[in-house]
Amino acid sequence: GDRRFIMKATRFVLEHLDEPDFNINLLCHEMAMSRTLFYSRLKSLTGKGPQEFIRIIRLQKAAELLKEGKSVTDVAAETGFGDIERANIFVFNPYARWKYCNTGPVSLFLDGGIGVAGGDMDGFKIGIQPGLAVRVSKHVRFQAHLGFLGYCTNYFNDGVDGSEGFGLKFSSSDLKFGFYYTF
């Protein structure tokens, strides 16, 4: 029952892995289930929603292919991450971290630095970003940044071309989060 359900869903995702347009609707159709029913069953069995389920399978396959020595372009095409040929970007963003509150598993910090982006998404920024880190285990932390205070000029096409200025911003491009492993 449950194991077969997960295996069938995983198999469908793997069969359509190279299709960037493969989505929840197509997966539900393949599984012959409504979105609501599929979501409920998948979430109760894996703790993951359908989008996260598909993304995790894509990322795991991408990691396997990269370990085999395939190029990033080939891996992106084979795992449905779209045409990365169109994105010509490089980013240099060194920073220094100041922890101003470190109580048990939670840390509040400020990252200060300078960022330069070039290519299709060019710009420059210098300033600070506040953040929060939560220790999940001995080596794993969940970390989030929100906002930016400083000078910014068209960094990642965040504003209108040629826009620049100093100030405090809370836009979607200033929200970053993820899990980090420390050695």
Side-chain angles (χ1 to χ4, degrees), residues 75-96:
V75 169
E78 289 181 39
T79 54
F81 283 109
D83 184 11
I84 66 165
E85 293 286 329
R86 296 181 313 165
N88 299 310
I89 326 166
F90 68 89
V91 177
F92 180 69
N93 198 11
Y95 67 91

Side-chain angles (χ1 to χ4, degrees), residues 165-181:
F166 180 84
L168 178 64
K169 295 188 332 161
F170 289 103
S171 67
S172 61
S173 66
D174 300 308
L175 173 63
K176 300 176 187 102
F177 57 90
F179 287 92
Y180 295 88
Y181 185 85

Side-chain angles (χ1 to χ4, degrees), residues 133-172:
V134 178
R135 187 173 55 239
V136 177
S137 70
K138 183 178 177 184
H139 295 286
V140 177
R141 285 181 171 28
F142 172 79
Q143 180 172 304
H145 285 99
L146 175 61
F148 174 77
L149 174 64
Y151 176 80
C152 187
T153 174
N154 200 33
Y155 196 72
F156 287 112
N157 293 334
D158 193 59
V160 181
D161 275 343
S163 66
E164 62 180 83
F166 180 84
L168 178 64
K169 295 188 332 161
F170 289 103
S171 67
S172 61

Side-chain angles (χ1 to χ4, degrees), residues 6 9-14 17 22-24 27 42-43 45-67 75 78-81 179:
I6 300 297
T10 302
R11 188 179 74 244
F12 281 134
V13 173
L14 290 171
L17 203 60
F22 183 72
N23 59 30
I24 300 162
L27 181 56
L42 186 68
K43 185 78 169 179
L45 295 174
T46 66
K48 311 275 186 262
Q51 282 184 318
E52 187 177 4
F53 180 75
I54 293 170
R55 187 175 59 249
I56 288 170
I57 292 171
R58 281 190 162 140
L59 288 170
Q60 287 173 340
K61 185 64 175 179
E64 287 174 25
L65 295 172
L66 287 169
K67 286 179 186 175
V75 169
E78 289 181 39
T79 54
F81 283 109
F179 287 92

Side-chain angles (χ1 to χ4, degrees), residues 67-126:
K67 286 179 186 175
E68 292 173 7
K70 291 198 173 194
S71 73
V72 173
T73 305
D74 291 342
V75 169
E78 289 181 39
T79 54
F81 283 109
D83 184 11
I84 66 165
E85 293 286 329
R86 296 181 313 165
N88 299 310
I89 326 166
F90 68 89
V91 177
F92 180 69
N93 198 11
Y95 67 91
R97 175 161 295 165
W98 177 59
K99 289 183 181 178
Y100 58 89
C101 180
N102 196 7
T103 58
V106 178
S107 299
L108 298 175
F109 60 85
L110 291 174
D111 283 347
I114 185 170
V116 179
D120 292 344
M121 300 179 186
D122 60 348
F124 170 81
K125 75 177 183 179
I126 184 167

